[in-house]
Amino acid sequence: MHWQTSRFRIDLSRPRVMGIVNATPDSFSDGGACFAPAAALRHCEDLLHEGADLLDIGGESSRPGAAPVPLEEELARVEPVLREAVKLGVPVSVDTFKPEVMQRALDLGVDIINDIRALQEPGAVLVVARHGACGVCLMHMHRDPQTMQLQPMDGDVLPQVHGFLAQAAARLRVLGVDAQRIVLDPGIGFGKTVAQNFSLLARQAELAELGYPLLVGWSRKSSLAAAVTPAGGEAPAPHERLGASVAAALLAVERGARIVRVHDVRDTVQALRVREAMRSQSTDIKNDSNH
């Protein structure tokens, strides 16, 4: 399985790690540490040194309750970072739902459009379809960042997410977008309860049956804090959720995720390498038993 993007055909026969770069002043995970373009670019370089396969750069926070960012402000945040990041020799993704930002990013040579609204903004789907080569990640989100956790989804979340993502992909395919350009994201934390998020993880294989690679982002999410906080205890801050984040990424890969979107690249890469070392020995044992 491969993911076709603007400049790269990404081999997904092994899981890939997408490093998160938040060029925002209000990121839930780092409090805006990478807001300045120079700091964001240094962070890109650090993530690559730690083993990231892809970079995902965003200029508008999608944390619960985040305020909308005007178009010109988002462009001012991401343009200087994207312009330099595309020179680093790896696939670069822009995290945006605004078609104007998508187009500008593609003009700069960006490889992937990562959209939390699954190209539902007017004009967004045409930007991707007209480009002819860029990769795209379609994510499920219930409501919007301002209201999604105030009124989360009801009922069994899996069929709702499954149906939404199937329709979003079909809408692109009708416009001539090749299936190899499309990746799907169940949207962990985006309008789902803690139980619903873990239900998506437990039943993730059902989403993989849609036939598209899955990109999954559990990194530092509040559901992880809920899972590890003892009764009456204090929930760990986002930067204190490393063990839980790595465990969730590993579980997602075990259930079919081809790309994991993470803040803590080095630790996630180490965990996946341990998994691969185990799997390689398992294969060797099977091969020996066949002789």
Side-chain angles (χ1 to χ4, degrees):
M1 185 175 285
H2 291 80
W3 189 8
Q4 182 62 54
T5 72
S6 297
R7 300 176 297 161
F8 300 88
R9 189 167 184 260
I10 304 169
D11 182 0
L12 299 178
S13 61
R14 69 170 178 86
R16 299 290 176 170
V17 175
M18 173 181 274
I20 299 170
V21 182
N22 292 315
T24 63
D26 55 349
S27 166
F28 89 94
S29 64
D30 58 28
C34 299
F35 179 41
L41 188 60
R42 282 196 301 273
H43 191 52
C44 289
E45 294 169 340
D46 290 342
L47 293 179
L48 294 180
H49 180 72
E50 293 175 4
D53 300 295
L54 309 87
L55 297 171
D56 187 46
I57 299 166
E60 179 170 0
S61 176
S62 56
R63 62 178 173 78
V69 175
L71 171 62
E72 292 305 319
E73 175 64 21
E74 184 178 351
L75 284 170
R77 293 176 182 182
V78 298
E79 269 198 71
V81 186
L82 295 172
R83 186 176 293 109
E84 297 303 317
V86 295
K87 302 175 184 177
L88 296 175
V90 299
V92 174
S93 166
V94 62
D95 181 358
T96 185
F97 63 83
K98 296 185 180 72
E100 299 90 347
V101 178
M102 296 177 189
Q103 187 62 63
R104 182 59 184 145
L106 293 173
D107 292 343
L108 291 170
V110 163
D111 302 282
I112 298 160
I113 302 298
N114 181 17
D115 185 1
I116 63 172
R117 299 184 189 270
L119 304 179
Q120 294 186 98
E121 289 294 303
V125 70
L126 293 179
V127 171
V128 170
R130 283 196 300 254
H131 186 267
C134 68
V136 59
C137 179
L138 305 171
M139 195 194 83
H140 175 274
M141 177 172 62
H142 175 65
R143 303 181 69 87
D144 55 54
Q146 291 75 48
T147 62
M148 61 189 182
Q149 295 310 121
L150 299 176
Q151 295 177 291
M153 298 175 70
D154 292 321
D156 186 355
V157 69
L158 196 287
Q160 298 178 67
V161 173
H162 186 284
F164 173 86
L165 292 176
Q167 290 180 3
R171 188 167 62 246
L172 271 181
R173 299 286 287 121
V174 165
L175 292 174
V177 175
D178 191 276
Q180 290 197 25
R181 294 171 57 190
I182 302 171
V183 161
L184 305 179
D185 181 349
I188 300 300
F190 285 83
K192 289 98 173 170
T193 65
V194 172
Q196 287 171 338
N197 287 322
F198 282 104
S199 175
L200 284 172
L201 178 59
R203 300 170 63 188
Q204 188 180 281
E206 295 178 50
L207 296 177
E209 291 172 0
L210 286 167
Y212 298 95
L214 295 181
L215 184 156
V216 181
W218 273 92
S219 188
R220 302 185 182 182
K221 295 284 176 74
S222 60
S223 288
L224 298 175
V228 303
T229 303
E234 184 176 350
H239 69 276
E240 298 173 328
R241 301 169 190 169
L242 172 60
S245 294
V246 172
L250 202 57
L251 289 167
V253 167
E254 285 292 311
R255 283 152 183 78
R258 301 296 180 126
I259 308 106
V260 286
R261 182 179 181 273
V262 306
H263 300 88
D264 303 294
V265 168
R266 177 185 288 112
D267 301 274
T268 305
V269 167
Q270 288 182 357
L272 290 174
R273 286 176 179 167
V274 170
R275 172 183 178 271
E276 182 55 33
M278 180 273 294
R279 285 168 58 84
S280 67
Q281 288 304 309
S282 175
T283 301
D284 289 345
I285 291 171
K286 288 179 181 177
N287 288 338
D288 288 344
S289 67
N290 290 330
H291 293 301

